[in-house]
């Protein structure tokens, strides 16, 4: 009797003690049962992924690399000597630390900020008409689009700056990358506030003023020389004194000849008259050369002497010497100042060229030959994997949902929500159909 009573209990224990299969076995079984659905999902997702990958527009990237000027070359050399020639890695750390301690400006960070500035982007948008090319209504939208497709990085160790521009047109990508470098040079030159630049600007303004003064002094000297027939008073005075001495000697000789002829032939003789005429002509030339002795003020105010005279009278030269010397001195002073400022201007320009940071291009941007985006195989693989994962989750969820009892509150709630949504959709469609 006890044996019979114990046997059913034993059977119950054996039944409850049977091991349940693992979850991965159950899930694998469910997926195997729906293998045809998974196969169709794989094929469709792979085809859709390849189609989407080939429909995505191609992007090309043009890259340029520049090296900013070395502002701390002498300091780095001094540190290298002090450290006894350590490795490059150690020197990079020491150089950065010393630069921060000595207050030197990080030119790489400065140049990166200049490349990202609104001035550079605005100039590029205007220069290449990017609003029309990218179909942007506002300039700010074109600037944002340009910033999203431009990558500017700097190497902390070497200081090399890399500018990469991505665009659907490879030539435009190259032009934009090159435009960044050109606009950077313009901006650096325009914003340079070095002492050499200020000196060059001052000398340039002063040089223009001195040039105008020199031209004015030269015009005044030329007008005075033309009015008073003065070319070089010192040489003219020497020549006129020599000419006056010769005329006086000729006058003495002519008068002596007249006197001797008078004693021999008398006053009415032809030879005497001819000698007197020669003596009178010599006297007239001597008077013309020396000027009028009776009216000194008239000689001083007379412009150029008598009409047709090629040189001023000898008596006027002392009076003309003062204004002529003043005008000549002004011309010489202005010429000396102009020459000095011209030399200083060239020196300032050379110094300014040394002080203005020059961008050294390491790798000039070129036309990219291969696309940089999209990676079609990767896009197709990602879409396929996501589609397969979604299909697997859908199959497992549907199987779990089928195992839930009909009286379960979750299933009842889901059905109520579904019926409500379907009714709302039917009413909307009916309203649209009646209208």
């Amino acid at each position: 009797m006890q044996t019979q009573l114990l046997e059913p209990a034993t059977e119950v224990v054996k039944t409850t003690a049977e091991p349940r299969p693992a979850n991965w076995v159950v899930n694998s079984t469910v997926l195997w049962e729906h293998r045809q659905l998974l196969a169709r999902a794989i094929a469709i997702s792979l085809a859709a992924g390849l189609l989407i990958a080939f429909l995505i527009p191609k992007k090309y990237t043009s890259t340029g690399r520049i090296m900013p000027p070395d502002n701390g070359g002498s300091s780095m050399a001094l540190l290298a000597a002090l450290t006894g020639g350590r490795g490059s890695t150690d020197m990079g750390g020491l150089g950065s630390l010393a630069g921060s301690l000595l207050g030197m400006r990080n030119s790489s960070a400065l140049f990166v900020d200049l490349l990202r500035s609104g001035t550079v982007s605005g100039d590029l948008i205007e220069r290449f008409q990017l609003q029309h090319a990218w179909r942007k209504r506002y300039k700010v939208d074109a600037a944002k689009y340009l910033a999203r497709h431009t990558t500017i990085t700097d190497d902390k160790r070497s200081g090399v700056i890399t500018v990469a521009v991505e665009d659907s047109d490879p030539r435009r990508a190259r032009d934009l990358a090159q435009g960044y470098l050109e606009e950077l040079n313009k901006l650096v030159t325009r914003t340079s506030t070095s002492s050499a630049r200020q000196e060059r600007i001052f000398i340039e303004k002063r040089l223009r003023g001195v040039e105008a003064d020199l031209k004015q002094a030269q015009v005044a000297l030329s007008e005075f020389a033309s009015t008073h027939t003065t070319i070089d008073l010192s040489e003219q005075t020497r020549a006129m004194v020599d000419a006056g001495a010769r005329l006086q000697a000729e006058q003495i000789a002519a008068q002596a000849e007249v006197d001797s002829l008078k004693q021999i032939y008398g006053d009415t003789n032809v030879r005497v008259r001819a000698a007197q005429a020669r003596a009178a002509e010599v006297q007239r030339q001597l008077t013309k050369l020396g000027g009028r002795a009776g009216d000194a003020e008239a000689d001083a105010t007379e412009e150029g002497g008598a009409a047709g005279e090629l040189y001023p009278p000898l008596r006027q030269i002392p009076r003309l010497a003062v204004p002529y010397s003043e005008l000549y001195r002004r011309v010489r002073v202005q010429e000396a100042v102009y020459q000095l400022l011209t030399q200083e201007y060239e020196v300032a320009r050379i110094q300014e060229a040394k002080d203005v940071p020059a961008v050294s291009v390491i790798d000039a941007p070129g036309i990219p030959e291969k696309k940089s985006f999209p990676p079609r195989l990767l896009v197709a693989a990602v879409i396929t994997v996501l589609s397969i994962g979604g299909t697997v989750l859908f199959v497992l969820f549907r199987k779990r949902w089928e195992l839930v009892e009909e009286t379960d509150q979750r299933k009842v709630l889901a059905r109520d929500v579904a019926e409500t949504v379907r009714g709302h959709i039917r009413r909307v469609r009916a309203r649209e159909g009646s209208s």
Side-chain angles (χ1 to χ4, degrees), residues 247-248 250-251 254 277-287:
L247 287 176
Q248 285 182 347
E250 291 178 3
Q251 182 188 19
R278 287 195 299 271
E281 180 62 23
V282 171
Q283 180 62 39
R284 189 180 68 83
Q285 292 293 334
L286 185 61
T287 304

Side-chain angles (χ1 to χ4, degrees), residues 213-362:
D213 294 340
L214 175 60
K215 289 181 179 179
Q216 184 179 0
Q218 289 175 342
V219 169
L221 179 62
S222 63
E223 289 179 354
F224 183 85
S226 176
T227 302
H228 299 281
T229 63
T230 55
I231 300 174
D232 188 350
L233 284 181
S234 60
E235 295 296 332
Q236 282 182 296
T237 303
R238 186 179 299 110
M240 292 178 69
V241 169
D242 293 341
R246 287 195 300 270
L247 287 176
Q248 285 182 347
E250 291 178 3
Q251 182 188 19
I252 294 172
Q255 187 64 37
E257 183 181 4
V258 169
D259 293 339
S260 63
L261 289 175
K262 280 184 179 181
Q263 292 177 2
I264 297 174
Y265 300 106
D267 295 336
T268 59
N269 189 272
V270 176
R271 297 181 62 182
V272 173
R273 292 179 180 178
Q276 289 177 344
R278 287 195 299 271
E281 180 62 23
V282 171
Q283 180 62 39
R284 189 180 68 83
Q285 292 293 334
L286 185 61
T287 304
K288 180 181 177 181
L289 180 65
R292 290 171 297 178
D295 194 359
E297 294 183 359
D299 292 343
T301 56
E302 184 180 3
E303 294 184 357
E309 292 185 357
L310 299 178
Y311 46 85
L314 189 59
R315 295 179 182 273
Q316 294 186 11
I317 288 181
R319 298 185 178 92
L320 296 176
V322 175
Y324 178 83
S325 300
E326 179 67 20
L327 293 174
Y328 183 76
R329 182 185 62 80
R330 285 176 55 190
V331 171
R332 296 297 297 172
V333 169
Q334 296 298 331
E335 286 179 351
V337 174
Y338 184 79
Q339 292 178 358
L340 178 62
L341 288 178
T342 302
Q343 297 175 358
E344 293 292 333
Y345 180 68
E346 294 300 328
V347 173
R349 290 181 61 184
I350 295 173
Q351 188 63 36
E352 181 186 10
K354 292 180 180 179
D355 290 347
V356 172
V359 178
S360 302
V361 179
I362 300 176

Side-chain angles (χ1 to χ4, degrees), residues 129-156:
Q129 300 181 354
L130 298 181
Q131 285 183 256
H132 176 72
W134 292 337
R135 298 179 181 179
K136 300 296 182 181
R137 183 177 180 183
Y138 300 105
K139 189 174 181 179
V140 62
D141 296 332
K144 291 179 180 179
Y145 187 87
L146 177 63
R148 287 196 303 268
H149 292 78
T150 301
T151 304
I152 302 173
T153 58
D154 63 317
D155 192 339
K156 300 300 182 182

Side-chain angles (χ1 to χ4, degrees), residues 156-231:
K156 300 300 182 182
R157 296 178 59 185
S158 62
V160 174
I161 299 174
T162 303
V163 180
V165 181
E166 184 183 60
D167 194 77
S168 57
D169 186 357
R171 293 185 179 275
R172 188 164 59 216
R174 187 275 311 272
D175 294 340
L176 286 175
Q178 183 64 34
Y180 267 106
L181 306 185
E182 295 173 357
E183 294 297 330
L184 176 62
N185 264 326
K186 293 179 183 178
L187 185 60
V188 169
T189 303
R190 188 167 62 248
T191 57
S192 177
T193 57
S194 63
S195 58
R197 176 181 175 83
Q198 299 298 328
E199 182 180 0
R200 193 266 303 169
I201 294 175
F202 172 76
I203 295 176
E204 187 175 5
K205 293 180 180 179
R206 188 72 182 92
L207 188 60
R208 288 196 293 265
V210 171
E211 185 177 4
D213 294 340
L214 175 60
K215 289 181 179 179
Q216 184 179 0
Q218 289 175 342
V219 169
L221 179 62
S222 63
E223 289 179 354
F224 183 85
S226 176
T227 302
H228 299 281
T229 63
T230 55
I231 300 174

